[in-house]
Amino acid sequence: MDTKRLTRLALLTAAALILFTVEAQLPPPVPIPGVKLGLANIVTVYVLFRYGARDALLVLLTRVLLGGMFAGSAVTLLFSLGGGLLCWLVTLPLRKLLTEKQLWVCGVLGAMAHDLGQMAVCVAVYGTAAVLVYLPALLLAGMATGLFTGLAAQGLLMKARGGF
Amino acid sequence: MLKTRTWIILLAAAAILLAAATCYTLSARRESAVAQVVLDGVVLREIDLSRVAEAYSFTVETPDGGRNVVSVEPGRIRVSDADCPDQTCVRQGWLSDQASPIVCAPHGLVISLKGAADADAATR
């Protein structure tokens, strides 16, 4: 890995980590467990489209691990990991399916995949299917927040075409 | 490549379906009045809310030092205080007959009413 790429990935990871940590301090928008804005996803989507799947995975994993240590518990780290990995897997083929102006779709589908992965980990960890009641509500909220973060990533990609 | 309009129609249709499903699941009710307090998959307590005569509360502590205060009144249960960062469990309020459980995600705590199917399994 050359120095330029290493520095760039470190910078982007730091940016994602800041978004993640700041968001963890804000009260959740609605009292439905698991609903959050997912601002750090802006960085994941941006890196995926600009630098490719491998770099996106590196930034994602580093951010999830450090984010869990800074602003979470062991349980929430597992949720982020399950959600993040499924999100990455689902958005992987989208890179070839979407044009630059359709990047927001990646945000929406990625957020929904994140919810599914998080819910799977949740059922496994809690050992109860009672939480599945929240799945439709989570997916719906994921569509809204994913649209927001997807549009943000799209704007970033268009603006930052020159550098970074 | 799908057209942008196709994506919008597909996703809007999904959103409408999910909105309907959300209304249905969040308004779903449970017959049973037996609440289960589960921490990390282990059932800590089972409380028959219909047999609670007097209000009381107890504290649940997680292995890594988290704390939730659970309050029980005749017919209902809630998390009245917690030291988790997001406070969602406290804001969810009372659980009396909803199918949707109280969840404290950072602490791995779930309080749910046992479903009819669970009750059957218990009596069998």
Side-chain angles (χ1 to χ4, degrees):
Chain A
M1 191 185 290
D2 64 82
T3 317
K4 201 177 169 198
R5 179 161 166 242
L6 184 67
T7 316
R8 191 171 59 216
L9 290 186
L11 259 172
L12 287 163
T13 307
L17 205 49
I18 290 168
L19 287 173
F20 183 83
T21 316
V22 168
E23 192 188 319
Q25 310 305 318
L26 303 172
V30 283
I32 294 174
V35 173
K36 59 181 278 183
L37 269 172
L39 291 177
N41 199 34
I42 297 174
V43 178
T44 314
V45 173
Y46 172 76
V47 176
L48 179 70
F49 272 75
R50 193 167 164 105
Y51 300 111
R54 261 182 55 194
D55 285 3
L57 185 63
L58 282 173
V59 171
L60 177 77
L61 285 180
T62 319
R63 191 262 298 166
V64 165
L65 290 177
L66 289 176
M69 289 176 200
F70 291 160
S73 62
V75 187
T76 46
L77 194 148
L78 280 179
F79 290 169
S80 302
L81 204 58
L85 284 178
L86 197 64
C87 170
W88 180 78
L89 268 179
V90 165
T91 49
L92 212 51
L94 288 178
R95 201 174 171 223
K96 299 199 173 66
L97 283 174
L98 298 174
T99 63
E100 227 173 59
K101 286 200 168 152
Q102 295 173 333
L103 200 68
W104 56 272
V105 175
C106 183
V108 174
L109 294 180
M112 293 172 81
H114 189 286
D115 287 334
L116 281 175
Q118 182 183 319
M119 193 50 100
V121 174
C122 185
V123 169
V125 170
Y126 292 165
T128 167
V131 286
L132 280 176
V133 168
Y134 288 117
L135 189 58
L138 268 180
L139 287 173
L140 187 66
M143 291 191 86
T145 59
L147 181 63
F148 173 73
T149 55
L151 281 173
Q154 187 174 334
L156 186 66
L157 198 76
M158 301 248 185
K159 291 268 183 213
R161 199 171 279 137
F164 199 65
Chain B
M1 291 280 173
L2 289 175
K3 279 187 181 164
T4 302
R5 192 193 292 161
T6 317
W7 278 114
I8 293 178
I9 293 171
L10 275 176
L11 292 176
I16 292 169
L17 281 177
L18 284 173
T22 303
C23 291
Y24 176 74
T25 51
L26 290 191
S27 62
R29 295 285 176 256
R30 280 274 157 88
E31 298 279 311
S32 139
V34 178
Q36 257 186 337
V37 181
V38 182
L39 183 70
D40 287 334
V42 181
V43 180
L44 293 183
R45 289 180 191 229
E46 278 194 9
I47 303 159
D48 188 341
L49 297 176
S50 61
R51 289 194 195 155
V52 175
E54 220 167 279
Y56 65 96
S57 64
F58 58 92
T59 304
V60 176
E61 300 207 5
T62 65
D64 45 0
R67 185 182 52 84
N68 296 73
V69 180
V70 181
S71 295
V72 185
E73 283 185 9
R76 57 186 196 166
I77 185 167
R78 72 163 172 160
V79 176
S80 50
D81 190 32
D83 61 357
C84 58
D86 60 65
Q87 298 290 312
T88 296
C89 52
V90 178
R91 287 168 67 202
Q92 280 186 272
W94 292 103
L95 181 68
S96 54
D97 63 347
Q98 301 92 321
S100 42
I102 298 173
V103 180
C104 181
H107 292 168
L109 179 76
V110 180
I111 303 176
S112 61
L113 295 178
K114 282 171 91 172
D118 302 341
D120 282 351
T123 49
R124 217 176 282 137

